[in-house]
Amino acid sequence: MAGGQTGVAMLTRRVYAPHSDFAAPARPTAGLTRLALGFILIEATYATVMHLLDAALLPLPLDWTDGFYYGTTRLGLIAQLASFGLLGAAVILTVRVLHHRGPLSLLGRGPGVRQTLYALMAVLALFTAIELMPPWWSMEGMTLNNPLSWLLLLPLSLGALTVQVASEEILYRGYIQQQLAARFSSPWIWLIGPNLLFAVAHWEDGVPWTEAAQYAIWAFCFGLAASDLTARTGSLGAAVGFHLANNVYAFLVFGEVGANDSGLALMMFPPMDSLLPPEPVPLVTVSFGIELLTLVLMWLAVRLVLRR
């Protein structure tokens, strides 16, 4: 038994060897107290700046501000996604002030642009293959949401999505994962810790608790996959591409008419009948299992293309 555990530990160290260099910039200031203080500082800075942004938006027409807050218009959703750059700026400021290191130290082995592109293409290819396989979606009631406008704004949409996912990645898989890995050698700590916080951040209020729990569990598993890719490559590049592909599919392809965050979708479907009382949904369902299985396939696709 001990020999088996030793073998697993050795395999883990070998697989995650690049992660040691990734965490190296965090080692001089690896205390838990400093990490907790840094996280509080990031959240406080981001909340303060967002309150200032709210105040700046007050004089604008209601249609404009609704488009921003609910993501129901193209420019509104682009602006909302781009505003995540304020979160990224809060992380960079905290790392500089509290940990005395620069923003590039959060990225690992260089920017990892190649890994980002490979991961992005691998996951989008997987999504395309899944969509082409039966059973197919019913296209009844589907309309195209101004394809020319969608195409012209595609570079801005992709840029805003990149800002959003990169900002989340440098917080959870960059800053928090690095600081925990610099303090603790056990992968369980630096894999689970950041992604519990990531899951909590994705808890949805105002929906049935089973739906909120499913989304939080999915987010935790998604974060685990992103953290694993970061550890295997020693860079945030693969995690950013993995995250970006998911959000490109979620924001730019399908949407529901009038739904939140539907402003950038190309294919719009009629809203579900909200007059019917919602039926209780169990926590464990076939569709939820399929979503988790798809997440595993996404992770494997990135590993395959990066040979990790």
Side-chain angles (χ1 to χ4, degrees), residues 53 103 105 110 130 140 176 190 200 226 250 258 268 294:
L53 180 60
S105 68
I130 291 174
E140 184 177 355
I176 299 174
W190 47 260
V200 169
M268 302 293 288
T294 303

Side-chain angles (χ1 to χ4, degrees), residues 190-231:
W190 47 260
L191 284 174
I192 292 175
N195 297 307
L196 285 176
L197 294 172
F198 188 67
V200 169
H202 285 78
W203 181 273
E204 287 192 350
D205 293 322
V207 301
W209 79 268
T210 50
E211 292 182 26
Q214 283 181 346
Y215 190 40
I217 292 169
W218 182 90
F220 175 76
C221 295
F222 181 92
L224 277 182
S227 287
D228 174 84
L229 293 172
T230 299

Side-chain angles (χ1 to χ4, degrees), residues 73-102:
T73 65
R74 288 220 161 96
L75 293 180
L77 184 51
I78 287 173
Q80 180 201 116
L81 294 168
S83 72
F84 276 81
L86 299 172
L87 174 63
V91 177
I92 291 170
L93 177 65
T94 297
V95 165
R96 172 65 72 185
V97 172
L98 203 58
H99 299 275
H100 316 297
R101 56 190 179 104

Side-chain angles (χ1 to χ4, degrees), residues 118 122 229 297-308:
Y118 281 14
L229 293 172
L297 293 176
M298 292 163 57
W299 171 69
L300 289 174
V302 176
R303 285 189 55 194
L304 179 64
V305 76
L306 295 179
R307 298 181 180 179
R308 297 285 178 169

Side-chain angles (χ1 to χ4, degrees), residues 61-82 145-146 149-150 153 157 160 251-252 256-266 268:
L62 188 60
D63 289 348
W64 292 15
T65 55
D66 281 351
F68 174 81
Y69 289 117
Y70 300 109
T72 51
T73 65
R74 288 220 161 96
L75 293 180
L77 184 51
I78 287 173
Q80 180 201 116
L81 294 168
N145 184 16
N146 198 336
S149 168
W150 183 89
L153 288 175
S157 302
F251 284 94
L252 299 186
E256 186 178 301
V257 176
N260 291 352
D261 297 333
S262 62
L264 292 175
L266 175 62
M268 302 293 288

